[in-house]
Amino acid sequence: MNDLYDRHRAVLPDWLALYYEDPLEITHGEGRHVWDAEGRRYLDFFGGILTTMTAHALPEVTKAVSEQAGRIIHSSTLYLNRPMVELAERIAQLSGIPDARVFFTTSGTEANDTALLLATTYRRSNTILAMRNSYHGRSFSAVGITGNRGWSPTSLSPLQTLYVHGGVRTRGPFAHLDDPAFVAACVEDLKDLLGHTRPPAALIAEPVQGVGGFTSPPDGLYAAFREVLREQGILWIADEVQTGWGRTGDHFWGWQAHGQSGPPDMLTFAKGIGNGMSIGGVVARADIMNCLDANSISTFGGTQITMAAGLANLNYLVEHDLQGNARRVGGMLIERLRAVAAGLPGVREVRGRGLMIGVELAKPGTDEADPQAA
């Protein structure tokens, strides 16, 4: 293992972080378990950064990938592609967005990049509203709207970004308020911010902030924001890269916890739908999706093999009600974790919903993170 670690460090970037002081080489997986090169078995709570959402080596997905690989793996978006059309039809219908169009990418970063391109083109504005503590990917534009210093290596950006309160419930100037007052204060902050700038193109927000620590506002915050945004024609982009496909249990999409004012104008997705295959995408109203007036294609977005995997995975998770499973099992897990954490001074908070759960460890009596405790 040390030999592989030394080889990794010799040819890959220093900033390509590895977990653990003694990094693991994961060699294979089955169901909810993975094995390392030493033969040790682990219960997988992470799923390759929330991607292997359904199961390792899921027979239905493995079969679909194998059969498609025997026919054709890739031809690009320049040719008709039956699996891509079929998956787009399913996602458009599930999205809740009227007259929806779907564009496939290879990652959540690329999906958010596309959504930003569409929003700024449609609105003729390069100003973006984003949430504090947010994360939207690692491309140049996505880093520019990321409100999390640990994941933002540069302040240079093609966009002007304005950061809004509300993504973190238990920190910040409004943390002491009850839920209705918290929402009201965040809405007033948004109104005040809009009074000091040219009209932005869009608000992009994760219904549950993933990289930010599985934090979320009270239900309904983004619905209240939507009322304010709609007055100026500002678009709402729901970043569902981590929250989509029923992971939160109560809803298929995270935005549905904030759906009182209607669906978002766009949503972005990735991660879990491919069950480990590289799928991302944007769903948008037709008038927004079709606003580009130059050529655009996707070389690797929507390849036949990834679309076959996505279709098989989507069918499996819907037919087996994995959203309901996330609600039931997640509710039990979070309840038991909180019971255990009540006796541990180093646990600041257990939070989340469904099977999107985080345990925050802090030095007792402070808000300072405690990585050694982890």
Side-chain angles (χ1 to χ4, degrees):
M1 181 57 64
N2 287 335
D3 175 57
L4 184 59
Y5 185 27
D6 291 341
R7 289 163 61 192
H8 177 281
R9 294 173 66 188
V11 295
L12 297 170
D14 290 345
W15 42 261
L16 199 63
L18 290 165
Y19 270 170
Y20 316 118
E21 290 179 1
D22 296 316
L24 302 177
E25 178 191 359
I26 301 298
T27 57
H28 63 286
E30 184 177 335
R32 62 181 65 86
H33 293 98
V34 294
W35 284 259
D36 69 11
E38 309 300 318
R40 288 178 294 238
R41 186 179 76 159
Y42 302 85
L43 182 60
D44 186 1
F45 276 90
F46 201 34
I49 316 182
L50 291 80
T51 53
T52 313
M53 179 174 70
T54 312
H56 292 281
L58 184 70
E60 289 82 351
V61 173
T62 301
K63 181 173 183 284
V65 168
S66 178
E67 290 181 352
Q68 183 60 55
R71 293 191 291 270
I72 187 168
I73 291 174
H74 169 261
S75 66
S76 90
T77 55
L78 292 169
Y79 302 90
L80 285 171
N81 177 334
R82 190 174 299 274
M84 182 167 68
V85 172
E86 290 176 354
L87 185 55
E89 288 171 339
R90 294 288 304 281
I91 291 173
Q93 185 270 323
L94 288 165
S95 73
I97 294 175
D99 195 20
R101 299 292 188 275
V102 183
F103 176 75
F104 289 105
T105 66
T106 62
S107 69
T109 291
E110 194 185 346
N112 284 332
D113 203 59
T114 303
L116 293 171
L117 170 66
L118 291 169
T120 53
T121 303
Y122 184 80
R123 291 274 295 155
R124 301 296 177 193
S125 167
N126 76 329
T127 301
I128 295 292
L129 300 170
M131 305 304 294
R132 299 178 187 192
N133 194 52
S134 60
Y135 175 81
H136 298 288
R138 55 156 303 280
S139 67
F140 189 47
S141 71
V143 162
I145 60 165
T146 287
N148 187 318
R149 175 60 186 90
W151 292 89
S152 182
T154 178
S155 61
L156 300 174
S157 175
L159 304 166
Q160 179 186 22
T161 308
L162 304 172
Y163 292 103
V164 182
H165 281 296
V168 184
R169 180 66 186 89
T170 60
R171 281 190 170 90
F174 306 142
H176 65 286
L177 301 173
D178 64 18
D179 283 357
F182 180 92
V183 170
C186 293
V187 168
E188 288 307 308
D189 173 70
L190 174 62
K191 289 179 179 177
D192 181 68
L193 183 66
L194 293 176
H196 297 282
T197 183
R198 298 183 66 82
L203 165 72
I204 185 168
E206 306 156 273
V208 180
Q209 293 181 332
V211 170
F214 288 9
T215 61
S216 61
D219 287 357
L221 174 75
Y222 296 119
F225 279 5
R226 181 101 163 109
E227 293 297 312
V228 176
L229 300 174
R230 189 179 277 139
E231 292 175 5
Q232 296 191 29
I234 302 166
L235 305 177
W236 172 28
I237 305 167
D239 180 341
E240 300 273 0
V241 169
Q242 295 197 30
T243 48
W245 320 110
R247 187 185 300 280
T248 62
D250 289 337
H251 303 100
F252 195 79
W253 304 105
W255 70 259
Q256 290 168 321
H258 308 270
Q260 300 92 326
S261 301
D265 299 289
M266 283 188 266
L267 70 81
T268 58
F269 62 85
K271 291 196 182 289
I273 185 58
N275 202 44
M277 298 291 278
S278 298
I279 304 177
V282 183
V283 188
R285 292 197 331 254
D287 59 322
I288 298 171
M289 185 68 83
N290 294 333
C291 75
L292 302 184
D293 62 1
N295 293 326
S296 197
I297 62 168
S298 184
T299 303
F300 290 111
T303 65
Q304 283 90 337
I305 197 164
T306 59
M307 297 295 95
L311 270 169
N313 192 42
L314 180 58
N315 287 337
Y316 185 92
L317 74 89
V318 171
E319 289 170 5
H320 291 79
D321 189 25
L322 296 194
Q323 178 185 335
N325 180 73
R327 182 175 62 250
R328 293 186 298 273
V329 177
M332 184 188 310
L333 180 57
I334 200 166
E335 183 181 308
R336 293 186 181 184
L337 283 170
R338 283 175 174 160
V340 171
L344 300 173
V347 178
R348 183 182 181 273
E349 189 178 13
V350 177
R351 58 177 174 259
R353 55 179 64 201
L355 282 171
M356 192 169 179
I357 299 171
V359 179
E360 182 179 347
L361 303 179
K363 294 178 181 176
T366 76
D367 284 341
E368 186 180 348
D370 192 350
Q372 197 57 46

